Amino acid sequence: MSKTINPEVIGVALIGAGMIAKTHVAALSALQDQLQLCQIISRDPDKARYLADYYDGLPPVFSTDLAAVAEDPNIAMAIVATPPSVRKGVIEVLANSGTHILLEKPLARTLPEAREVVDICTRAGVTLGVLFQHRMRAPSIAAARHVASGVLGKLGLVEISVPLWRDQSYYNELGRGTYARDGGGVMITNAVHSLDLTLSLTGPIRRVQAMTATTSLHQMEAEDFAMAGLHFDCGAVGSFVSSTAMYPHRTEVIRLHFEHGSLKIDKNALEITWRDGRVDIEGKTDSPKQQTPLSGGNYEWHQAVITDFAAALRDGRKPMVTGEEALASHRIIEAIETSSKTGRAIDIPAPMRF
């Protein structure tokens, strides 16, 4: 049985105090009218205490005690931001205690493990949401509106470009870019955001033919380059290119070419180029951030996902991205890896519905 949701202020725990933790803490600080950060769980609570500087409410408890979160009836929601390698055990403890879970991407290291994570939460009767904050960017929201309206006509071609740069120091962090800790390289750690956003706009991919590699620019186990040809369920075709070896660092771009116009979606704006020559710009940020490696953007997108998840708990509805929906990106990544290993096209069956 899931924990009771306080209709006014929901108690929250943050599990994990790594690179993204300060973004979550800052977002929760801005949401104190509806959420209270009660505990931060870390392997080294003393090192995690700097996070209190990003929170201006009552100081949270810093601890290693996950069981205390599970046993606290006032903590009905947990944000899990641990490395994928330790995530399944954390989710089992939380889900079995009735604690609802908002999970940092990816769900897990592999598709079978991701399926287990979703099933654990389903059996326990708790809500599982996944933090794909790129969907909350203004250009993404505007793009979704235009696609849903049907005004663009039939989709014919898709381009997904993830041209990133990561210095070797990024992969020198213990376990980063390994299959044991992260489950892979650029695809599951970085490009999964663009894959998720694309699928939310296009519908399923049904076939891929791909190549992955580790360039000479990084010393790492998993791939820092991946490319694939894509066949979509709707009849469109497309391309996917992602890397963390592309200097200088640039922003991710998705281009969708429809019958009546084309969309260019990035973090700064949505550009619509109509077939009659008109060009519209929507969702433009007033002052785009300088593109630098690991700039991290801002916490407003995370805040929007957290707000949606809390509202879903209160309203008894599904969050913006469910665990089941997040499996779609894992299927694409697994298919790309398999295609690269075998040298052949891989068909992706539709998920079974129960």
Side-chain angles (χ1 to χ4, degrees):
M1 180 182 294
S2 60
K3 294 179 181 177
T4 301
I5 301 300
N6 187 321
E8 296 179 357
V9 178
I10 299 173
V12 181
L14 173 62
I15 317 300
M19 185 183 299
I20 197 64
K22 65 182 179 182
T23 303
H24 288 295
V25 173
L28 290 167
S29 185
L31 293 170
Q32 292 180 61
D33 60 330
Q34 53 183 298
L35 298 167
Q36 180 186 351
L37 178 58
C38 301
Q39 292 203 40
I40 295 178
I41 302 299
S42 171
R43 291 175 296 180
D44 191 335
D46 288 336
K47 286 186 178 180
R49 291 187 192 282
Y50 79 95
L51 292 170
D53 294 339
Y54 296 88
Y55 193 72
D56 62 6
L58 292 173
V61 173
F62 289 84
S63 170
T64 62
D65 193 357
L66 182 65
V69 172
E71 294 165 3
D72 190 337
N74 296 314
I75 300 178
M77 169 182 161
I79 299 174
V80 177
T82 64
S85 56
V86 298
R87 207 164 274 177
K88 181 183 167 186
V90 169
I91 289 167
E92 284 180 320
V93 172
L94 294 172
N96 291 335
S97 73
T99 306
H100 301 282
I101 298 166
L102 179 57
L103 183 61
E104 263 291 349
K105 58 77 189 170
L107 282 168
R109 294 170 293 183
T110 65
L111 178 58
E113 192 174 77
R115 178 76 261 177
E116 285 186 73
V117 165
V118 173
D119 290 344
I120 287 167
C121 293
T122 300
R123 288 193 299 268
V126 299
T127 298
L128 173 63
V130 185
L131 223 148
F132 280 115
Q133 73 272 13
H134 288 200
R135 292 206 201 184
M136 288 299 192
R137 294 171 171 174
S140 303
I141 294 169
R145 184 176 65 251
H146 282 285
V147 171
S149 74
V151 68
L152 291 156
K154 186 174 178 61
L155 178 64
L157 180 66
V158 176
E159 301 174 70
I160 309 167
S161 177
V162 186
L164 310 179
W165 168 251
R166 295 292 187 263
D167 188 82
Q168 181 59 39
S169 61
Y170 179 78
Y171 292 110
N172 288 344
E173 180 182 331
L174 185 62
R176 187 177 293 282
T178 67
Y179 293 103
R181 193 194 90 151
D182 289 348
V186 60
M187 286 193 292
I188 200 162
T189 301
N190 308 102
V192 66
H193 279 294
S194 294
L195 287 171
D196 170 76
L197 178 56
T198 299
L199 292 170
S200 74
L201 298 170
T202 64
I205 295 170
R206 286 291 170 248
R207 197 177 204 214
V208 305
Q209 185 145 19
M211 183 192 110
T212 66
T214 307
T215 72
S216 62
L217 301 176
H218 288 130
Q219 298 298 312
M220 58 186 290
E221 179 186 12
E223 86 291 344
D224 67 354
F225 172 81
M227 64 178 295
L230 312 172
H231 291 262
F232 290 80
D233 207 29
C234 65
V237 295
S239 64
F240 165 73
V241 179
S242 67
S243 181
T244 52
M246 293 181 173
Y247 188 88
H249 182 84
R250 288 163 286 159
T251 191
E252 308 96 327
V253 178
I254 298 168
R255 289 180 170 87
L256 306 179
H257 301 281
F258 292 87
E259 182 182 2
H260 304 305
S262 297
L263 304 183
K264 176 191 173 188
I265 309 156
D266 63 28
K267 66 188 292 184
N268 298 320
L270 168 68
E271 181 180 292
I272 311 171
T273 305
W274 299 97
R275 292 291 182 267
D276 62 10
R278 289 176 295 134
V279 177
D280 294 329
I281 305 294
E282 298 185 17
K284 187 174 178 62
T285 58
D286 293 331
S287 54
K289 292 178 69 68
Q290 182 181 2
Q291 290 303 305
T292 57
L294 300 180
S295 62
N298 53 43
Y299 68 81
E300 283 81 5
W301 302 325
H302 284 75
Q303 179 181 333
V305 177
I306 294 169
T307 299
D308 171 81
F309 188 77
L313 296 182
R314 289 192 177 95
D315 299 341
R317 62 168 175 82
K318 294 180 179 180
M320 180 188 67
V321 182
T322 65
E324 192 71 43
E325 187 176 1
L327 287 171
S329 299
H330 280 272
R331 293 188 186 97
I332 304 307
I333 291 170
E334 181 186 69
I336 290 172
E337 291 172 337
T338 303
S339 178
S340 180
K341 290 175 183 176
T342 62
R344 58 184 177 85
I346 300 298
D347 292 319
I348 306 169
M352 295 179 66
R353 304 291 183 184
F354 297 97

